Amino acid sequence: MKIGIACDHRGYEAKRHLLPTLKKMGHDVEDFGCHSSSSVDYPDYALPVAKLVAQGKKDIGILLDGSGIGMSIVANKVQGIRAALVHDELTARRSREHNHCNVLCLGTDLLSEAQIHKIVEIFLSTPFGDGRHIRRTAKVTEIEQANLAHSKARGKGENA
């Protein structure tokens, strides 16, 4: 699996410990930073990963910051992204089975290293469900498309 991973300064240590595990699992992992515990702005690191996942150049994104909230907000601004802020094994599984999430966001201040590794393992190994979940995710995509079309139409009217 092609994975893009990024963090801010609060997620740096967790990412540093997670990278060898992902590679040992056989994944093709590209690290988009940050590369130290010096303070940085999380949007600068979340956005490139989200864009590459949306473009299909990465299968999955993994974003780590202190609470997971900032990274998830940024990722979910990108069309085609379904980022999940995951707290435990159940939400990791459900985010994939029920919501077909393609970006995993983790709050490293709230989780142990062992929990992070287990959550990532479950997220990466859980397939998307079928039946009602297909119908529901299709509705989410329709909402996204309608909002995009509305924004484009509104922008044309304002610029005219």
Side-chain angles (χ1 to χ4, degrees):
M1 192 175 291
K2 293 180 185 174
I3 298 172
I5 190 168
C7 65
D8 72 354
H9 54 285
R10 300 298 297 235
Y12 171 70
E13 285 300 321
K15 183 190 72 169
R16 195 171 67 79
H17 292 282
L18 184 58
L19 282 169
T21 301
L22 291 170
K23 291 177 183 175
K24 191 186 321 181
M25 292 169 71
H27 298 293
D28 177 9
V29 183
E30 188 173 354
D31 182 356
F32 289 86
C34 73
H35 300 290
S36 78
S37 58
S38 298
S39 184
V40 296
D41 297 332
Y42 62 85
D44 297 339
Y45 299 91
L47 186 60
V49 170
K51 282 183 173 181
L52 288 172
V53 171
Q55 294 167 1
K57 294 178 181 175
K58 300 293 176 196
D59 301 310
I60 296 291
I62 300 174
L63 302 174
L64 305 103
D65 69 12
S67 69
I69 296 169
M71 292 283 206
S72 66
I73 290 170
V74 172
N76 278 313
K77 297 292 182 186
V78 176
Q79 182 184 0
I81 294 301
R82 288 174 307 281
L85 174 54
V86 172
H87 305 289
D88 53 32
E89 295 176 25
L90 176 64
T91 54
R93 187 169 287 108
R94 292 286 161 78
S95 67
R96 293 286 284 163
E97 284 177 346
H98 293 195
N99 306 109
H100 203 217
C101 289
N102 50 11
V103 174
L104 172 64
C105 300
L106 297 168
T108 60
D109 290 350
L110 309 170
L111 300 165
S112 70
E113 184 178 333
Q115 287 172 310
I116 289 169
H117 286 249
K118 187 65 176 173
I119 288 168
V120 168
E121 178 186 320
I122 290 169
F123 187 87
L124 295 177
S125 65
T126 301
F128 179 49
D130 55 13
R132 69 186 186 275
H133 306 301
I134 293 171
R135 183 180 71 246
R136 291 171 181 166
T137 56
K139 288 182 178 188
V140 172
T141 301
E142 287 174 20
I143 292 166
E144 183 180 59
Q145 294 296 323
N147 284 333
L148 179 65
H150 176 73
S151 293
K152 286 182 177 181
R154 204 173 81 198
K156 287 180 183 178
E158 291 173 358
N159 293 330

